[in-house]
Every structure is written in C-alpha cells, then in structure tokens.
C-alpha cells in the first residue's frame, strides 16, 4: 500500500490519501474520502506521495505525449476557399448576456471572419497542434463503411466534430478506438455522440457552450417573420418575373398580436424571447426549470407547466431544448394535433425532436401553416428527405450556428479546451457534458442518460 509517484502533470483520483510530509502540498488532503489532485506542469516534480488506494482513473494526458486529433469538418465551398470575404471585420463582443466570458484561448492562429468550419479552415488548429508535436487529421469523409473518419478514429486520442456536419460517434465506433479520451463538439449540442457509450468508455464529452446560441436566436426570429409573412413565396414570385399580389399575400400575416412560445428557455430560447418582444407579441414558455420572477416580469412571460399546455394557445411554437431520449419525437402526431390549427413550428434544436413524417402530414393537411428550421436527422439529410419537398417549409441546411461570426467563437473555444487539456487544467464547467464516466457540468443539468444516435447510419445515403 505504498506508492511513490513522480507527477509531472495530469489528474489523479485517489481515495484515503496520506502524504509523508503534508507541507509538500498546499492542499488539505486528510479530510476528503475521495479527492482529486490537479497539478500543472512541473509543480510536483519528484515529490513522494503515499497513497493507500488509487481508483481506476488514469491521467488523461501525460506531458510530452504526442496525440492524434481527428477533426471532422464540412466540405470547402464548391468554388474553393474565398480569396475575399463579403465583410472586412467582425463586431467586437465582450461578453455573453449573462456575463459569461467568450472563449479565451492564450492565442489564435486564424483571422476571425474567415471560413474555419470547413476542411481547409481546420478550425485554425494545425499550427498550434503541430508545433506541440501532435498530429492533426482533418476529413469530411465521415459516413458509410470504410469512411476516412472511421479509419482514422482507431488510434485517435481526441475527436472534434461540428453539429452541422456531425460525425456520429456511436458505441460501436468507440469500441474501435481504445485511445479515445475526449470528444469535442465545435458548437453546442453533443447528441451526435452516444453519451451513454461515452460514459461507459470513459470518454469525456465537451462543447463550447454559448458560442452560437445568439446566432441561432437571430435565425429563429428570421424564420418566424419569413414564415408568418410568407417571404419565401413572395421572393420566388419576384425571381420568376411575376407581380401577382394576391398570390403573394394569400398566406401572409402580421406577427403582431400573435402568441409566440418556446419549448425551453435556455440560452437560445430566452434570447429569442427577448428579440421577439419588440414585435408586440404575447410570449410563452415551457422549461423544466422555471425562470426567475424578474425575467418573467421583464418579458411579460406566461409559464406553462407542460408542452401540451403551451402548444394549445400558441400561434408560433419554437423548439430550443436539447435532443436526448426524453425529447426525441416530442412533436409527433399526438402533440401536433394538440396545436392550434394553422400554427407554425420553428425548430433549430435538433431534427429528431420532431417526427419527420408527422410534420409533413400536418403541412399537407393544413394543421400546420408552416415549419422552418435548420436541423435534420440524420445530417446531411438524404436527398429524398421529405422535409426538402413538403409544402410551406422554410428549411435551411444546418447553418444557424455556423455563421462566420459563430465560427470564430467556436474555433477559439475548441482551442481553449485543447489548451486546458494539454496543460492539465480544468476545462470550464459549463463546457462539460460527460466527464469521468458520468454526466457533468451542463450535461448533468440539461441532458439525460442514454443515446439519440440510432438511425444515424442513414447519413451515408446523401449524395453530393
Ligand atoms: P441551453 O443549455 O442554454 O438550453 C437548453 C434548455 O433546454 C435549458 O433551459 C434546459 O432546461 C432545457 N431543457 C432540457 N430538457 C428539456 C425538456 N425535456 N423540455 C424542455 N426543456 C428542456 O442550450 P442552448 O439554448 O444554447 O441550446 C439548446 C439546443 O439548441 C442545443 O442543445 C442544441 O441541440 C441546439 N443548438 C442548435 C444550434 C444550431 O446551429 N441549429 C446551435 C446551438 C444549439 P434547464 O436548464 O432548465 O434544465
């Protein structure tokens, strides 16, 4: 029961710990039954520590070890990377509305405002990783048997993927990757990772909380206005050289006075409510946790204790909850039939929260007047996905959270996470979804155990 350790960097979980000379450590080590010691590079070089029992928790990264990072990103523009961008700079944003700081890596090797989320953009990581001796592999070949991502995964230590073009990290894939320590979501929403599998295989899952929440809220407002006013139809008439006003307005309404509700009032949901308030609408929400009286009063919000209660009174229903086993197919025929006839749905959360065929049926029958969003299941959506052709839809590919502005934030967030990981420093709590085999941080707050990746193999059906 005696163990002498030279600790350079990393994390040890220990129980019942005794130290030969407590003054060697500026920590109170005696009272805790289970204790985590985090030391940064060099801090405890050659100190002797007596440990009676070490729980099975290896150091995640040993200083000096070379790692392989697999990064799965979407394809470059068909015409190649732009020589010039539409705008010369991005506005400066200091903080998120709740005071949380933006990603703050020690340095970045990219120009904010440039394409970073595609293969050649590499999230601006190559110099940083290669200078430190690591290997970076970037690919967009992520679906179907024998794809490059699967081949490279087998000896990868870290995998990075974006929700817009997710690398579905199923339990079966994890089993091929014994070295895998961490899955980083360059964005928000880690449902493309089998979270139960990650817990079982001790793979940490982290995301860049808040990085694109406000980008999505802007997209939601755009979609509400364009659907209710029937912008797409009017724009099409102009492009076709027409001028028939009656055709253009027969489905066009004002948003003013409507009841607009959100399923989930998290970072996106609340921002969307704030952005919609000046349109003089009635605002409603459902969430597992109630907002403060102060926020409810500020936005004149009506709280509903169930989704059913909210959809029964709303003209526009926004969906902004995470996808997990409890929200999968929440909007099925049953739920849609409880909505007001002619209501609109905006879903920028995850495609699988809605039953795709039930949505198409409701648009055909007129139970829904419109459905818009940017999230599909799987992604890329097969070419014959019914949402591409159903009537009165306002779908985009998954773009709301990957504007050039958002890319700069999540690329910086990924860099910050990697810097912390290599330095043995804690990753911000709000970024954690799974850690040490359990839900952690934001994950413990907003997700439930289980997986939502079933059926993701259909993404291979998409043909460019
Ligand atoms: P937040 O974590 O800030 O908000 C999520 C909210 O959902 C929380 O308020 C949470 O409640 C609530 N929630 C969880 N489960 C349920 C449930 N069963 N019913 C109702 N509410 C629930 O995340 P964001 O607002 O930033 O993002 C939300 C989701 O949007 C992400 O999980 C992701 O799937 C999606 N997203 C999409 C993007 C895109 O590009 N289209 C980009 C970014 C995110 P509580 O906190 O009270 O537990």
């Amino acid at each position: 029961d005696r163990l002498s350790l030279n600790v350079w960097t990393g994390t040890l979980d220990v129980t019942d710990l005794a130290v030969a000379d407590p003054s060697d450590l500026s920590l109170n080590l005696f009272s805790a039954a289970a204790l985590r010691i985090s030391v940064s590079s060099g801090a405890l070089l050659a100190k002797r520590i007596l440990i009676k029992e070490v729980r099975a928790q290896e150091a995640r990264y040993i200083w000096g070890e070379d790692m392989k990072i697999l990064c799965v990103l979407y394809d470059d523009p068909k015409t190649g990377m732009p020589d010039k961008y539409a705008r010369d700079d991005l506005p400066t944003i200091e903080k998120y509305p709740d005071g949380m700081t933006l990603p703050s890596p020690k340095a970045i090797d990219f120009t904010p405002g440039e394409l970073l989320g595609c293969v050649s953009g590499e999230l601006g990581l190559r110099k940083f990783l290669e200078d430190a001796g690591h290997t970076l592999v970037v690919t967009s070949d992520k679906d179907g048997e024998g794809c490059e991502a699967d081949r490279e995964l087998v000896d990868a230590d870290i995998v990075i993927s974006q929700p817009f073009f997710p690398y579905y990290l199923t339990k079966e894939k994890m089993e091929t990757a014994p070295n895998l320590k961490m899955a980083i979501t360059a964005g928000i929403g880690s449902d493309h990772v089998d979270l139960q599998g990650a817990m079982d295989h001790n793979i940490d899952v982290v995301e860049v909380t808040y990085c694109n929440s406000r980008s999505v809220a802007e997209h939601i407002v755009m979609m509400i206005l364009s659907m209710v006013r029937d912008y797409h139809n009017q724009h099409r008439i102009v492009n076709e050289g027409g001028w028939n006003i009656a055709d253009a307005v027969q489905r066009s309404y004002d948003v003013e006075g409507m009841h607009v509700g959100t399923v989930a009032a998290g970072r996106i949901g609340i921002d969307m409510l704030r952005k919609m308030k000046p349109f003089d609408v009635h605002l409603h929400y459902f969430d597992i946790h109630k907002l403060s009286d102060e926020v409810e009063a500020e936005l004149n919000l009506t709280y509903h204790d169930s989704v059913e209660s909210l959809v029964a009174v709303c003209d526009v229903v926004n969906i902004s909850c995470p996808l997990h086993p409890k929200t999968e197919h929440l909007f099925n025929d049953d739920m849609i039939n409880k909505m007001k006839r002619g209501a609109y749905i905006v879903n920028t959360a995850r495609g699988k929260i809605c039953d795709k065929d039930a949505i198409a049926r409701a648009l055909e029958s007129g139970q829904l007047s419109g459905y818009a969003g940017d999230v599909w299941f799987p992604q890329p959506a097969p070419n014959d996905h019914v949402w591409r052709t159903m009537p009165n839809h306002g779908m985009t590919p998954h773009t709301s959270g990957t504007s050039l502005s958002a890319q700069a934030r999540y690329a910086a967030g990924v860099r910050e996470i990697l810097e912390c990981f290599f330095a043995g420093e804690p990753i911000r709590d709000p970024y954690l979804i799974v850690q040490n085999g359990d839900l952690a941080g934001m994950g413990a707050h907003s997700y439930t155990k289980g997986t939502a990746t079933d059926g993701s193999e259909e993404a291979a059906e998409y043909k460019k």
Side-chain angles (χ1 to χ4, degrees):
D1 64 352
R2 287 169 67 90
L3 187 63
S4 169
L5 294 177
N6 290 338
V7 182
W8 280 269
T9 185
T11 306
L12 288 172
D13 269 12
V14 297
T15 51
D16 199 10
L17 183 136
V19 179
D21 178 359
S23 64
D24 283 350
L25 293 172
S26 55
L27 289 164
N28 175 10
L29 300 175
F30 298 103
S31 54
L35 185 65
R36 155 163 289 221
I37 315 173
S38 298
V39 290
S40 54
S41 178
L44 283 178
L45 183 64
K47 295 278 187 226
R48 284 172 66 83
I49 304 174
L50 307 181
I51 298 173
K52 285 191 181 155
E53 185 192 339
V54 180
R55 275 201 283 147
Q57 172 70 49
E58 72 201 284
R60 305 250 82 185
Y61 175 69
I62 308 295
W63 187 77
E65 198 181 351
D66 295 340
M67 297 242 151
K68 174 171 169 184
I69 293 98
L70 169 62
C71 196
V72 181
L73 300 175
Y74 45 77
D75 286 312
D76 288 0
K78 283 189 175 156
T79 48
M81 290 294 272
D83 304 327
K84 202 165 167 218
Y85 286 83
R87 298 182 50 77
D88 295 330
D89 56 13
L90 296 180
T92 307
I93 296 165
E94 305 289 349
K95 281 202 162 100
Y96 298 119
D98 68 355
M100 180 172 161
T101 53
L102 267 72
S104 41
K106 293 190 173 66
I108 53 170
D109 300 313
F110 58 82
T111 306
E114 295 188 345
L115 266 170
L116 300 166
C118 60
V119 171
S120 296
E122 300 181 325
L123 294 177
L125 291 173
R126 186 167 296 279
K127 182 175 181 319
F128 161 65
L129 290 172
E130 290 187 344
D131 283 357
H134 304 300
T135 304
L136 174 68
V137 175
V138 183
T139 181
S140 64
D141 180 23
K142 70 175 187 77
D143 296 303
E145 227 172 295
C147 65
E148 188 180 350
D150 286 0
R151 280 185 274 120
E152 296 288 352
L153 182 70
V154 295
D155 57 352
D157 297 279
I158 296 174
V159 61
I160 305 172
S161 161
Q162 303 172 108
F164 324 104
F165 192 71
Y167 179 46
Y168 293 102
L169 194 55
T170 59
K171 187 158 56 76
E172 292 71 31
K173 292 188 186 185
M174 289 174 192
E175 277 156 13
T176 69
N179 298 346
L180 196 59
K181 296 163 186 64
M182 185 160 68
I184 304 178
T185 302
I188 304 172
S190 297
D191 46 274
H192 58 284
V193 179
D194 179 333
L195 296 182
Q196 189 60 53
M199 289 182 253
D200 297 343
H201 289 81
N202 198 19
I203 298 166
D204 293 347
V205 182
V206 296
E207 58 185 49
V208 191
T209 295
Y210 230 146
C211 64
N212 55 12
S213 302
R214 303 196 83 198
S215 324
V216 177
E218 283 187 9
H219 207 83
I220 295 170
V221 173
M222 172 184 84
M223 286 183 152
I224 294 175
L225 294 176
S226 56
M227 249 195 321
V228 173
R229 303 202 59 89
D230 206 24
Y231 166 76
H232 304 91
N233 181 34
Q234 297 166 13
H235 186 61
R236 183 183 50 78
I237 289 171
V238 168
N239 285 344
E240 290 172 356
W243 195 260
N244 190 318
I245 305 283
D247 280 336
V249 298
Q250 62 179 326
R251 299 180 60 85
S252 181
Y253 297 90
D254 293 353
V255 173
E256 183 180 357
M258 285 190 169
H259 290 256
V260 176
T262 182
V263 177
R267 292 174 179 81
I268 295 175
I270 195 115
D271 200 43
M272 160 273 182
L273 291 168
R274 283 214 167 89
K275 286 175 161 61
M276 284 306 294
K277 187 162 189 288
F279 288 96
D280 290 327
V281 291
H282 305 277
L283 296 173
H284 301 252
Y285 80 103
F286 161 75
D287 200 298
I288 325 175
H289 302 106
K290 221 165 162 290
L291 295 168
S292 67
D293 293 348
E294 204 184 357
V295 174
E296 287 194 352
E298 172 206 332
L299 296 171
N300 196 17
L301 282 178
T302 304
Y303 170 71
H304 295 261
D305 60 7
S306 68
V307 181
E308 287 79 357
S309 156
L310 177 128
V311 301
V313 298
C314 284
D315 303 287
V316 179
V317 173
N318 169 62
I319 304 174
S320 285
C321 55
L323 169 64
H324 50 73
K326 280 206 177 136
T327 58
E328 186 168 337
H329 287 177
L330 179 63
F331 280 78
N332 53 17
D333 285 313
D334 257 17
M335 184 65 79
I336 294 168
N337 288 332
K338 290 183 175 121
M339 298 179 70
K340 284 177 75 171
R341 194 193 79 81
Y344 306 84
I345 293 180
V346 178
N347 176 14
T348 57
R350 284 297 177 260
K352 235 189 190 184
I353 297 171
C354 295
D355 172 340
K356 72 175 184 345
D357 297 316
I359 296 289
R361 275 192 292 274
L363 288 170
E364 294 284 352
S365 72
Q367 172 61 12
L368 286 178
S369 279
Y371 179 93
D374 67 331
V375 285
W376 310 64
F377 187 82
Q379 291 184 178
N383 309 66
D384 62 352
H385 193 294
V386 63
W387 288 2
R388 291 183 188 269
T389 49
M390 61 192 181
N392 302 313
H393 79 79
M395 296 300 295
T396 61
H398 194 162
T399 51
S400 66
T402 185
S403 57
L404 295 174
S405 325
Q407 289 178 42
R409 286 190 294 274
Y410 66 69
V414 171
R415 168 88 180 241
E416 178 189 321
I417 289 166
L418 289 168
E419 285 178 0
C420 291
F421 180 80
F422 293 134
E425 288 166 7
I427 293 167
R428 297 186 199 205
D429 207 51
Y431 287 0
L432 302 177
I433 303 297
V434 170
Q435 194 178 45
N436 297 334
D438 207 350
L439 292 173
M442 275 307 297
H445 189 73
S446 286
Y447 283 82
T448 52
K449 294 187 178 182
T451 181
T453 56
D454 294 348
S456 53
E457 62 286 349
E458 272 178 45
E461 287 171 23
Y462 172 75
K463 298 284 170 279
K464 285 181 196 169

